[in-house]
Amino acid sequence: MVMTATAQKPKLGYKDTPIIPGTEWHVHDGDRPQPRVVTSGSSFSHQAAPPSDAIVLFDGKDLSQWQGGGGKPARWKVEGGYMEVAPKSGSIRTKQGFADFQLHLEFATPSKVEGDSQGRGNSGVLINGIYEVQVLDSFNNPTYPDGQAGALYGQVPPLVNASKEPGVWQTYDIIFESPSWDDSGKLTKKANVTVIHNGCVLHHRREFTGNTPHRTNGDYSRPHDPEMFIQLQDHSNPTRFRNVWVRSIGEYDK
Ligand code: MG
């Protein structure tokens, strides 16, 4: 058999992307091991009331805490106690900024299954619009591991795949520590995140290697304020969200 120079397109993901620093894997490498599937039990609760010191970002009624890009009104659908991505209306972001916070949200990927891989139930929680914790329908939906539900997009696959069926409500609890830079613009702390999905730990104080672009490595070349907006992504799939709240981590002995 004659080998041709034509590279075969990999079944999943990419091989023509850069290596992720500190790993042997390409960005969106389809050969990276798929996270083990875990059926989450009932160790998490839906629709639990927020703690008393939480800022409620969405209580099922309106988008008053949210806006679109450029300060335009958020145009997602609100009904039945949830908000739903209105495809092509744009991502939405909180009006307020937060540093070092605990975020709770519930999401449901579309019960009508359409598309596959990155095209199925794709949304995302993007801190400051640049650090993405992926939202995807990862129930029997193979994709490149650093792009599945709960991945730090393009960087770190989740420790396990704790995804529920399409249309079923799921929880994310995300604890995020902001990056910081000194006055000269030198990075002094990377952003790190803990993610709990349906009661299962996906990441524990895992550092972002930078922002999370598609098909390339991110970095920390653009210092920003420690207070960051929280963005939910319009990736053209009608994913739903509800019971969204945030609270400051705070400090000891204060
Ligand atoms: Mg996404």
Side-chain angles (χ1 to χ4, degrees), residues 156-170:
V156 193
L159 287 165
V160 295
N161 178 351
S163 293
K164 297 280 190 195
E165 294 90 335
V168 172
W169 285 101
Q170 313 191 48

Side-chain angles (χ1 to χ4, degrees), residues 166-177:
V168 172
W169 285 101
Q170 313 191 48
T171 59
Y172 270 173
D173 289 283
I174 295 174
I175 301 160
F176 189 91
E177 292 184 44

Side-chain angles (χ1 to χ4, degrees), residues 1 48 54 167 178 200 208 243:
M1 190 169 138
S178 304
C200 297
F208 280 90
N243 196 22

Side-chain angles (χ1 to χ4, degrees), residues 36-56:
R36 177 168 58 89
V37 173
V38 173
T39 304
S40 55
S42 49
S43 61
F44 66 100
S45 63
H46 291 139
Q47 296 286 61
S52 64
D53 63 351
I55 295 169
V56 175

Side-chain angles (χ1 to χ4, degrees), residues 122-124 132 134-135 233 235:
N122 195 335
S123 181
E132 181 173 12
Q134 175 72 304
V135 171
Q233 187 182 43
H235 203 284

Side-chain angles (χ1 to χ4, degrees), residues 124-140:
V125 181
L126 286 106
I127 314 307
N128 223 29
I130 55 174
Y131 308 108
E132 181 173 12
V133 176
Q134 175 72 304
V135 171
L136 194 79
D137 176 358
S138 285
F139 190 85
N140 294 333

